[in-house]
């Protein structure tokens, strides 16, 4: 006997115990008398426990968990909570950093710093693009802020490799993020946004989100270089970029 | 200290992001179909969550809210880039999954089922993960995905039909639901 009573959707809802969305008792009754319903149900049956168990292994990957900026020692996390401290440093860095260390209204610098805090070595380590692909990517992001760049201009830091470019947005204003990975595995980002604030061309050093940072301005753009904890390195790189008028 | 007044939702989001991250990454992998893409999406969603913390309703499910953010980000921004760079909508390849650490050997079938789910079309695999992995009710999955409940049901039906066919030979030994 052909069974036209139930849709596949209803049978699935029945299997899932979604009582609101399936005529539960009608299906139960039909199962007793109609083998076709049973066959259709079987054709929709899967081992949902195996699905859940299979995906559970993905939770253990633990790859690319947000980068946890090293909390200044003064914060004094105790040894027993070290494991937690590592993960909470992120939250504290973002929270306290944004609200206490900086001005009340977070600007693009805070936004980028918070974003950078989520980067880990692994975020960038796998990225290997040839010059052609890098140029194509730079051409694409360059449009966002009207600044043309070449991989050769960027890959000039000794001890850090240029990795990739992407467009981010702050308050509907595009900014570009150029990422580098240092030989020590620190992810760095050079972020550029259009701005007429007239910030000095001389890099100004600071600490943001527990990372070393430098900010400067040049012909209608603002720059932020951020990442790692090596102030001298950031200063050196910032000066290199500033002098090259990237 | 004007920020203290609305501190509660900020607190919850800030403190909760790290705990939710593994599940968020898993859902991001489901959407992007690539481990690298999952990193970008999960991290961007964390950041967006922190930015928009004052929109989080205290007392509601933080993970669900973050899944929704990840989903919206994926639809509105990152998918475009992924498509342009040749990732994203393509089925997950073995190479992407080989990177992932395998579980215990007894879990071989579970892994096969997981891979089969990850090879479903994007809309189906996202729905399957929200309902069968994350355990969301149809209504909640519909809210996260911003689609009608009927669409959730038809995606699950298609996904179930595909997976069921693939694992027909296993049915004698395992109990399906």
């Amino acid at each position: 006997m052909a069974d036209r009573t139930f849709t596949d959707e209803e049978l699935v809802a029945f299997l899932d115990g979604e009582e609101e969305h399936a005529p539960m008792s009608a299906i139960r009754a039909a199962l007793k008398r109609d083998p076709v319903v049973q066959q259709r149900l079987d054709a929709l049956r899967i081992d949902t426990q195996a699905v859940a168990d299979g995906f559970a292994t993905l939770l253990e990957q633990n790859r690319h968990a947000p980068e946890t900026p090293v909390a200044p020692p003064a914060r004094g996390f105790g040894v027993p909570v070290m494991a937690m401290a590592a993960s909470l440093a992120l939250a504290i860095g973002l929270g306290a950093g944004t609200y206490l260390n900086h001005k009340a209204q977070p600007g693009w610098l805070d936004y980028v710093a918070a974003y950078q805090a989520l980067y880990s070595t692994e975020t960038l380590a796998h990225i290997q693009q040839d010059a052609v692909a890098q140029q194509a990517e730079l051409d694409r992001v360059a449009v966002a802020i009207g600044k043309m760049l070449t991989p050769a201009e960027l890959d000039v830091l000794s001890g850090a490799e240029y990795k990739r470019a992407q467009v981010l947005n702050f308050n509907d204003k595009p900014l570009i993020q150029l990422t580098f990975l240092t030989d020590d595995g620190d992810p760095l980002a050079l972020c550029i946004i259009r701005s007429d604030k007239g910030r000095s061309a001389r890099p100004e050093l600071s600490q943001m989100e527990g990372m070393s940072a430098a900010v400067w301005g040049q012909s209608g753009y603002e720059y932020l270089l951020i990442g790692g904890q090596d102030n001298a390195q950031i200063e050196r790189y910032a000066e290199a970029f500033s002098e090259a008028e990237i | 200290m004007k920020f203290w007044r609305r501190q509660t939702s900020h607190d919850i989001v800030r403190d909760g992001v790290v705990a939710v991250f593994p599940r968020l990454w898993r859902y991001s992998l489901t959407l992007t179909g690539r481990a690298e893409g999952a990193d970008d999406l999960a991290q961007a969603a964390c950041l967006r969550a922190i930015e928009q913390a004052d929109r989080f309703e205290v007392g509601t499910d933080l993970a669900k809210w973050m899944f929704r953010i990840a989903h919206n980000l994926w639809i509105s921004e990152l998918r475009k880039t992924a498509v342009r760079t040749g990732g994203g909508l393509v089925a997950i390849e073995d190479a992407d999954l080989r990177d992932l650490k395998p579980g215990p050997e007894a879990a071989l079938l579970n892994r096969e089922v997981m891979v089969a789910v990850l090879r479903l079309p994007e809309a189906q695999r996202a729905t399957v993960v929200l309902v069968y992995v994350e355990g969301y009710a149809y209504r909640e999955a519909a809210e996260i995905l911003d689609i009608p409940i009927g669409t959730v049901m038809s995606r699950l039906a298609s996904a179930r039909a595909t997976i069921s066919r693939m694992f027909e030979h296993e049915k004698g030994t395992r109990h399906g639901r």
Side-chain angles (χ1 to χ4, degrees):
Chain A
M1 182 177 73
D3 132 58
R4 320 292 294 170
T5 319
F6 310 114
T7 62
D8 278 356
E9 284 79 2
E10 287 172 327
L11 294 176
V12 166
F14 174 81
L15 289 170
D16 288 338
E18 287 266 353
E19 305 201 355
E20 258 178 79
H21 305 292
M24 303 293 279
S25 50
I27 294 175
R28 262 188 224 108
L31 278 172
K32 285 184 190 139
R33 54 179 162 73
D34 189 350
V36 175
V37 178
Q38 184 65 56
Q39 282 166 20
R40 287 188 54 202
L41 213 49
D42 283 344
L44 292 169
R45 220 181 269 278
I46 61 169
D47 189 343
T48 53
Q49 189 59 50
V51 175
D53 291 347
F55 275 87
T57 60
L58 292 181
L59 292 179
E60 292 146 28
Q61 294 305 316
N62 211 16
R63 40 177 288 152
H64 316 293
E67 164 78 344
T68 54
V70 174
R75 277 212 179 106
F77 285 115
V79 173
V81 291
M82 278 247 293
M84 274 188 73
S87 38
L88 286 174
L90 165 74
I92 289 165
L94 291 170
T98 305
Y99 294 118
L100 302 178
N101 296 349
H102 295 280
K103 51 201 175 293
Q105 192 62 47
W108 81 278
L109 296 171
D110 304 86
Y111 168 87
V112 169
Y115 188 82
Q116 184 63 18
L118 298 172
Y119 271 66
S120 65
T121 309
E122 291 76 13
T123 314
L124 300 173
H126 61 265
I127 298 173
Q128 286 302 341
Q129 298 191 97
D130 61 26
V132 176
Q134 283 184 339
Q135 186 63 64
E137 188 180 65
L138 282 171
D139 289 345
R140 180 166 58 73
V141 305
V143 175
I145 61 163
K147 177 178 261 306
M148 303 316 286
L149 295 161
T150 65
E153 283 176 296
L154 296 170
D155 222 349
V156 292
L157 305 177
S158 74
E161 187 190 359
Y162 168 66
K163 284 295 190 180
R164 71 159 178 206
Q166 56 182 355
V167 181
L168 304 176
N169 263 283
F170 177 71
N171 284 349
D172 295 328
K173 216 175 147 185
L175 63 103
I176 64 172
Q177 181 217 40
L178 308 163
T179 40
F180 301 80
L181 192 61
T182 70
D183 294 347
D184 295 334
D186 284 329
L188 307 182
L190 173 64
C191 298
I192 311 176
I193 195 167
R194 272 187 179 283
S195 164
D196 47 13
K197 281 214 186 104
R199 201 181 276 277
S200 154
R202 186 175 174 73
E204 185 188 323
L205 293 174
S206 69
Q207 286 277 318
M208 298 180 79
E209 307 289 358
M211 293 172 287
S212 306
V215 182
W216 69 99
Q218 223 154 38
S219 40
Y221 293 96
E222 260 191 315
Y223 300 76
L224 167 68
L225 181 67
I226 184 168
Q229 268 95 35
D230 185 343
N231 292 339
Q233 175 180 265
I234 287 293
E235 182 172 21
R236 204 166 61 241
Y237 290 167
E239 276 168 5
F241 282 135
S242 170
E243 277 164 25
E245 298 187 15
I246 281 291
Chain B
M1 282 290 205
K2 63 178 177 178
F3 277 101
W4 292 145
R5 238 177 293 135
R6 58 170 199 197
Q7 198 191 11
T8 331
S9 71
H10 280 268
D11 262 358
I12 293 169
V13 173
R14 253 176 9 227
D15 296 351
V17 158
V18 172
V20 173
F21 191 83
R23 287 168 66 198
L24 186 71
W25 187 83
R26 176 171 71 178
Y27 182 59
S28 301
L29 178 76
T30 307
L31 289 177
T32 61
R34 289 158 65 241
E36 298 166 20
D39 298 336
D40 289 345
L41 179 55
Q43 289 173 359
C46 279
L47 181 70
R48 186 61 62 88
I50 290 162
E51 273 178 345
Q52 301 187 342
D54 47 359
R55 295 196 201 165
F56 175 68
E57 247 175 84
V58 177
T60 59
D61 179 355
L62 177 65
K64 185 180 157 192
W65 185 68
M66 292 185 68
F67 286 146
R68 205 183 142 90
I69 290 176
H71 182 81
N72 289 342
L73 271 175
W74 175 239
I75 297 298
S76 66
E77 294 171 33
L78 297 173
R79 180 159 67 180
K80 288 179 206 151
T81 317
V83 170
R84 258 199 306 264
T85 56
L89 295 180
V90 297
I92 291 191
E93 295 303 327
D94 282 338
D96 288 312
L97 297 167
R98 219 174 292 136
D99 293 348
L100 306 173
K101 293 177 204 129
E105 254 178 71
L108 201 61
L109 173 68
N110 298 346
R111 188 181 164 78
E112 281 173 25
V113 174
M114 175 186 78
V115 171
V117 169
L118 288 174
R119 290 209 171 114
L120 292 170
E122 179 194 318
Q124 287 179 33
R125 63 188 190 236
T127 314
V128 165
V129 166
L130 288 176
V131 175
Y132 300 132
V133 178
E134 289 296 339
Y136 286 115
Y138 289 179
R139 181 183 44 76
E140 296 172 303
E143 285 165 12
I144 293 170
L145 297 167
D146 203 17
I147 54 175
I149 292 178
T151 309
V152 170
M153 290 164 70
S154 62
R155 287 181 184 178
L156 292 177
S158 307
R160 273 176 169 274
T162 307
I163 302 287
S164 180
R165 257 195 314 279
M166 290 173 69
F167 290 88
E168 217 154 6
H169 57 285
E170 304 286 352
K171 280 194 175 164
T173 52
R174 306 268 295 212
H175 277 292
R177 263 197 284 145

